[in-house]
Amino acid sequence: MYDETTGIGFEGGPAGCGPLLPGPGAESKPLRQQVFEHVRAAGRAARADVARGLGISAGSVTTLTSDLIAVGLLREIEGTSRESRESGRGRPPVALEVVHEGRLVIGIKLSDERHSAVLTDFAGNMLADATLPTIPIRKTAVQILDEMGELIDNLMTAAALSLSAVTAVGLGLSGLVDHDTGIVPWSPLLADRDVPLKALFEARFALPVHVDNDANVLTLAELWFGAGRAMSDFAVVTIEHGVGMGLVLNNRLFRGTRGMGLELGHMKVHLDGALCRCGQRGCLEAYLADYALAREASTALGRNARNMESPQALLETLFGEAKAGNHAARTIFRRAGRYLSLGLSNVIQLFDPELIILSGERMRYDYLYADEVLAEMRGLMLADGRVPCKVEIHAWGDLVWARGATALALSAVTDAVLG
Amino acid sequence: MYDETTGIGFEGGPAGCGPLLPGPGAESKPLRQQVFEHVRAAGRAARADVARGLGISAGSVTTLTSDLIAVGLLREIEGTSRESRESGRGRPPVALEVVHEGRLVIGIKLSDERHSAVLTDFAGNMLADATLPTIPIRKTAVQILDEMGELIDNLMTAAALSLSAVTAVGLGLSGLVDHDTGIVPWSPLLADRDVPLKALFEARFALPVHVDNDANVLTLAELWFGAGRAMSDFAVVTIEHGVGMGLVLNNRLFRGTRGMGLELGHMKVHLDGALCRCGQRGCLEAYLADYALAREASTALGRNARNMESPQALLETLFGEAKAGNHAARTIFRRAGRYLSLGLSNVIQLFDPELIILSGERMRYDYLYADEVLAEMRGLMLADGRVPCKVEIHAWGDLVWARGATALALSAVTDAVLG
DNA sequence: TTAATTAACTTCAGTTGACAAAGTAAATTT
DNA sequence: AAATTTACTTTGTCAACTGAAGTTAATTAA
């Protein structure tokens, strides 16, 4: 029987209702791991703090922490009695901290002009960093692995440590990256398609690696070390060579169904609009990314198309001209700013996050990030009584991305050790 | 100390790393409730099925079900031995089902031309429905309550039951609806702003009510009764007077941070584009909604602006003209279709869902939903190796929306009884 | 100085919620 | 009629957590 009015059929007998859940899906982590992560998140915390923070009994905390101390994951800090309490009455708390030695992780951010790497301990403290300049051309997987080898060598030399001390690696690069399989279907850095980067890396360096899109990695940096730590739902938008976005929903990085990144840069903002490097028309990227500005710059500056100035230098010139009052140059930034407003307002309309973080080095072009742009963004949203979404601007360097990549490794190692 | 390079500071002593989770947040429902919901989802299920489905031991299922039977929430079905098994070996299973009597819920969908209501039992079976035609003008809260009173009277008369038998009500209406507080900041149906609809309803009918945006309610209908039941992540897009969207992430309805709907209709698809009824320009709605088509229709059909034909009738005429070959009429639908493609491709690029469901009565205008539109949508997405997102079209009636509203009430009642 | 107070932490008995394994039941197959 | 198969129940056990009582270490008040 099929009910025409409701459109919902009953296939013989009671069909039931409600979502069909796949399994019992262990949603929440074991309490032991929660205790550990609470201490790490706080930096240091007394047992009583943990009990209050997690809402569990003091007795449980004693049991769990003594176990964690026994296996060498936590330890007590001597002489923490006096600090960190306003009224010093009662028995002073004994602070706990993560035993951060011994489980080191590396975070790597691959880029077209320079690769960056960071070494952190198990508490997330940065121990060393390294940078490797590189030629901005598409490379083979072997070339990229060679470069990563050199980068890692530099990093371990700077830290005066052996690579054998490292437990895991996190890796972020732009393009389409399948986090689950570690395969890179396409990346602007790679000449080949469908590169099994995880497998290649692990074969070469004999270290487990966790690969992800660079926008996701940057979002993890905010979630683990930055403004997003206390926030359950936020978006990170970044403008570099392309336009990327990462999204945290319910305190977790959201990756779509197919485990790939969210392609904000290829959101269409104009039917049959400007040509994008992806081959389509009207993508947000085609109005915002550096190549989009650069191609207009040569018109505005009257340069010859054969002039082989680097897009980077071209943009700097354009920015200078705009500041100096060149009208054509100004309209280029102006239009880009308006499209940025539009893109951001769309993100807010669709996701309704608590906060949007604009991040990336291009944030220096304040034409893009002026108050004017933010005001325009607010003007493009539905004017209803709700609290407007906060916006933060982080003009941070490449090391933040690499640090986000360490979070990828840190959480994997934590799950492995405590799961 | 503030690290310029990384942009991330350490405010005296170890700051810690990782997300700061608010509480132990009971993510998963108690097993007792999971057992109940599994039986309801299956319609009927033997204890052994439940054990396999939830991956728990048979002993636990016996304990939990005997408790659920004792409190009158489940019951055994006599004579279910032979059915539902292919090889009839072994002891025949005894099917369980939800005791569906006694906990009735009402679902209501308010609309501008007609309100609809559905009465279901605790197993989600429809017992009765009712419809109330209404004048499409903005009303006061009292008028809307009066109309709902009449609608509910009709419904209970049709079911030959007393309202006192009803446990809870779910209510869906278009506009901005705050599900948590039950306040309606703005709705096209209401003359007033910030109407505390939940409080008013409960005061008047002495029944708990759960209010939500109509797109969310339709999404719940798909999640509870329709194509989304077996799907963990999907989007529902609906085109009626406006353009709405509902989103299911991880088997749950996603409402943004501020608890309001996701405003797909006001996603900007053209900088300084067509005027939308929200007062802004370039909203998707301004190219797709019936008022958008209607205002172009009067131009195409050469009607006088004073001609007070209803927009509905105007659209019908336009559709007929387009089918008959009128070029201007065709371009109207054609353009709307292209913008629909664009909107859908943006939804896919940003959310990467498993499935998109297009729903609503306007689905008859096949110019909007032709294969051409879907092909165009696919063309607007990044051409990478991933499996394309499935699309389903459901041209269902208003009762489905009302049924979705019952899901709102059903899940709330279930949580209350079993939480 | 001593006692009272406060708060952190530990200990331990008791409850709960699950499982595994053994046992019982009811059908089909041999 | 016995063997087999599957569903369900019973029972002992284990692990995780709580709550209450007890211990420790500091400050404050007498």
Side-chain angles (χ1 to χ4, degrees):
Chain A
M1 139 179 147
Y2 182 84
D3 188 329
E4 266 294 327
T5 333
T6 64
I8 288 166
F10 298 83
E11 306 83 11
C17 69
L20 298 167
L21 303 167
E27 305 257 321
S28 59
K29 299 172 176 176
L31 208 41
R32 202 172 85 111
Q33 185 171 354
Q34 284 188 51
V35 168
F36 177 83
E37 293 185 349
H38 186 94
V39 172
R40 180 164 62 188
R44 52 177 56 180
R47 277 167 258 250
D49 298 331
V50 175
R52 277 188 295 265
L54 257 34
I56 59 178
S57 74
S60 307
V61 177
T62 296
T63 315
L64 294 168
T65 52
S66 61
D67 172 59
L68 288 168
I69 291 170
V71 296
L73 287 166
L74 292 183
R75 70 175 155 227
E76 296 189 342
I77 308 176
E78 306 297 330
T80 45
S81 321
R82 198 144 291 96
E83 326 163 6
S84 77
R85 277 184 50 228
E86 58 302 331
S87 93
R89 288 198 296 199
R91 174 177 173 177
V94 180
L96 299 170
E97 68 175 1
V98 168
V99 175
H100 49 253
E101 304 89 349
R103 255 176 271 264
L104 306 179
V105 300
I106 293 177
I108 298 176
K109 146 83 173 173
L110 298 180
S111 198
D112 60 348
E113 295 188 324
R114 119 185 55 92
H115 304 324
S116 317
V118 155
L119 178 75
T120 74
D121 60 28
F122 204 41
N125 300 311
M126 267 181 65
L127 302 181
D129 60 81
T131 303
L132 183 77
T134 158
I135 345 158
I137 54 161
R138 285 165 175 263
K139 290 152 195 162
T140 65
V142 173
Q143 285 174 310
I144 283 279
L145 285 172
D146 286 343
E147 291 179 354
M148 280 196 275
E150 195 181 336
L151 179 67
I152 290 173
D153 279 349
N154 293 352
L155 181 69
M156 299 317 289
T157 307
L161 284 166
S162 151
L163 187 58
S164 60
V166 172
T167 312
V169 178
L171 177 58
L173 74 165
S174 55
L176 293 168
V177 183
D178 189 325
H179 171 257
D180 299 322
T181 63
I183 293 174
V184 182
W186 177 85
S187 165
L189 304 179
L190 289 167
D192 309 315
R193 290 184 155 259
D194 299 308
V195 176
L197 198 55
K198 177 184 170 72
L200 292 174
F201 187 102
E202 292 181 345
R204 168 117 172 209
F205 299 103
L207 267 176
V209 69
H210 306 274
V211 191
D212 210 336
N213 177 279
D214 59 350
N216 282 346
V217 151
L218 181 63
T219 307
L220 280 176
E222 296 288 352
L223 179 64
W224 275 65
F225 306 104
R229 290 187 64 197
M231 212 134 303
S232 66
D233 300 80
F234 66 93
V236 175
V237 172
T238 170
I239 302 169
E240 302 264 308
H241 305 293
V243 177
M245 176 169 72
L247 202 61
V248 169
L249 300 177
N250 200 22
N251 295 295
R252 288 146 98 116
L253 184 65
F254 172 77
R255 303 178 175 102
T257 322
R258 280 163 279 277
M260 311 260 192
L262 312 166
E263 296 296 333
L264 179 64
H266 303 283
M267 165 193 255
K268 301 295 174 295
V269 293
H270 202 313
L271 203 53
D272 305 324
L275 186 64
C276 175
R277 61 176 173 172
C278 75
Q280 312 217 335
R281 289 194 170 271
C283 298
L284 183 60
E285 212 174 276
Y287 297 93
L288 272 190
D290 51 6
Y291 70 87
L293 298 182
R295 69 185 168 196
E296 291 208 315
S298 54
T299 310
L301 303 174
R303 303 287 164 93
N304 192 317
R306 284 171 308 176
N307 187 331
M308 287 306 282
E309 207 173 359
S310 89
Q312 196 58 40
L314 199 60
L315 270 188
E316 288 295 344
T317 316
L318 184 71
F319 189 53
E321 287 282 326
K323 287 216 147 179
N326 179 328
H327 182 257
R330 287 183 100 99
T331 62
I332 292 176
F333 283 106
R334 182 80 193 90
R335 188 174 78 154
R338 295 193 69 202
Y339 272 104
L340 176 62
S341 309
L342 192 150
L344 293 179
S345 73
N346 281 354
V347 168
I348 296 174
Q349 296 277 348
L350 290 186
F351 289 105
D352 190 23
E354 246 174 293
L355 169 72
I356 287 199
I357 297 169
L358 300 179
S359 192
E361 281 189 289
R362 300 290 183 289
M363 298 298 147
R364 293 178 289 113
Y365 301 127
D366 52 7
Y367 275 81
L368 278 183
Y369 310 98
D371 292 337
E372 198 181 337
V373 168
L374 298 184
E376 198 155 26
M377 178 200 82
R378 295 216 167 78
L380 284 171
M381 295 187 306
L382 271 197
D384 45 57
R386 42 182 154 177
V387 194
C389 173
K390 279 176 289 181
V391 179
E392 286 193 18
I393 296 172
H394 295 175
W396 294 344
D398 266 10
L399 284 184
V400 171
W401 302 65
R403 208 154 174 223
T406 66
L408 209 54
L410 275 178
S411 65
V413 172
T414 310
D415 285 350
V417 172
L418 289 143
Chain B
M1 138 178 150
Y2 182 85
D3 187 331
E4 266 295 326
T5 333
T6 65
I8 286 166
F10 298 83
E11 307 82 9
C17 69
L20 299 167
L21 303 168
E27 305 256 322
S28 59
K29 297 173 177 175
L31 209 41
R32 200 173 86 111
Q33 186 170 354
Q34 284 188 51
V35 168
F36 176 83
E37 292 185 350
H38 186 94
V39 171
R40 180 165 61 189
R44 51 178 57 181
R47 277 167 260 247
D49 298 331
V50 175
R52 278 188 295 265
L54 293 173
I56 58 178
S57 74
S60 307
V61 176
T62 295
T63 316
L64 293 168
T65 51
S66 61
D67 172 61
L68 288 168
I69 291 170
V71 297
L73 287 165
L74 293 182
R75 69 174 157 229
E76 295 189 342
I77 308 176
E78 306 297 332
T80 45
S81 321
R82 197 142 294 95
E83 327 163 6
S84 76
R85 281 191 38 232
E86 59 303 328
S87 93
R89 287 198 297 200
R91 173 175 171 175
V94 180
L96 299 171
E97 68 175 1
V98 168
V99 175
H100 49 252
E101 305 88 347
R103 257 177 270 264
L104 306 179
V105 300
I106 292 177
I108 298 175
K109 147 84 173 171
L110 299 180
S111 196
D112 60 347
E113 295 187 324
R114 120 184 56 93
H115 304 324
S116 317
V118 156
L119 179 75
T120 75
D121 60 28
F122 203 43
N125 301 311
M126 267 181 63
L127 301 181
D129 61 80
T131 303
L132 184 76
T134 158
I135 344 158
I137 52 161
R138 286 166 174 263
K139 290 152 194 161
T140 64
V142 173
Q143 285 173 310
I144 284 278
L145 285 173
D146 286 342
E147 292 179 354
M148 280 196 275
E150 195 180 337
L151 179 67
I152 291 173
D153 279 348
N154 292 351
L155 181 69
M156 299 318 289
T157 306
L161 284 165
S162 151
L163 188 56
S164 60
V166 173
T167 310
V169 178
L171 177 58
L173 74 165
S174 56
L176 294 168
V177 183
D178 188 326
H179 171 257
D180 299 322
T181 62
I183 293 174
V184 182
W186 177 85
S187 165
L189 303 179
L190 289 168
D192 310 315
R193 289 184 156 261
D194 299 308
V195 176
L197 197 56
K198 178 185 169 71
L200 292 173
F201 187 101
E202 292 181 346
R204 169 117 171 207
F205 298 104
L207 266 177
V209 69
H210 306 275
V211 192
D212 210 336
N213 177 279
D214 59 350
N216 281 346
V217 151
L218 181 63
T219 307
L220 280 176
E222 295 290 352
L223 179 63
W224 274 66
F225 307 104
R229 290 188 63 198
M231 210 131 304
S232 67
D233 299 80
F234 65 93
V236 175
V237 171
T238 171
I239 302 168
E240 303 264 309
H241 305 293
V243 177
M245 177 169 71
L247 202 61
V248 169
L249 301 177
N250 201 19
N251 295 296
R252 288 145 96 118
L253 183 65
F254 172 77
R255 304 177 174 102
T257 322
R258 281 163 277 277
M260 310 260 191
L262 312 166
E263 295 296 332
L264 179 64
H266 302 283
M267 166 194 255
K268 302 293 175 295
V269 293
H270 202 313
L271 203 54
D272 306 322
L275 185 63
C276 175
R277 59 174 174 174
C278 74
Q280 313 215 336
R281 287 194 172 272
C283 299
L284 183 60
E285 212 176 275
Y287 297 93
L288 272 189
D290 50 6
Y291 69 87
L293 298 182
R295 69 186 169 197
E296 292 207 314
S298 53
T299 310
L301 303 174
R303 303 286 164 92
N304 193 316
R306 285 171 305 177
N307 187 332
M308 288 305 283
E309 208 172 359
S310 89
Q312 196 58 40
L314 199 60
L315 270 188
E316 288 295 344
T317 314
L318 185 71
F319 190 54
E321 287 282 327
K323 289 216 145 180
N326 179 329
H327 183 258
R330 287 182 98 100
T331 62
I332 293 177
F333 283 106
R334 182 80 194 89
R335 187 175 78 156
R338 295 193 70 203
Y339 272 104
L340 175 63
S341 308
L342 190 151
L344 293 179
S345 73
N346 281 354
V347 168
I348 296 173
Q349 295 277 350
L350 291 186
F351 290 105
D352 190 23
E354 247 175 292
L355 169 72
I356 286 198
I357 297 170
L358 301 178
S359 192
E361 282 189 287
R362 299 292 183 291
M363 298 296 148
R364 293 178 289 114
Y365 300 129
D366 53 8
Y367 276 81
L368 278 183
Y369 310 97
D371 292 337
E372 197 181 339
V373 168
L374 298 184
E376 198 154 27
M377 177 199 82
R378 296 218 166 79
L380 285 171
M381 296 186 306
L382 271 198
D384 46 57
R386 45 182 151 177
V387 193
C389 172
K390 278 175 291 182
V391 179
E392 285 193 20
I393 296 172
H394 294 174
W396 294 343
D398 267 9
L399 283 184
V400 172
W401 302 64
R403 216 161 165 214
T406 65
L408 209 54
L410 274 178
S411 65
V413 172
T414 309
D415 285 350
V417 172
L418 288 143

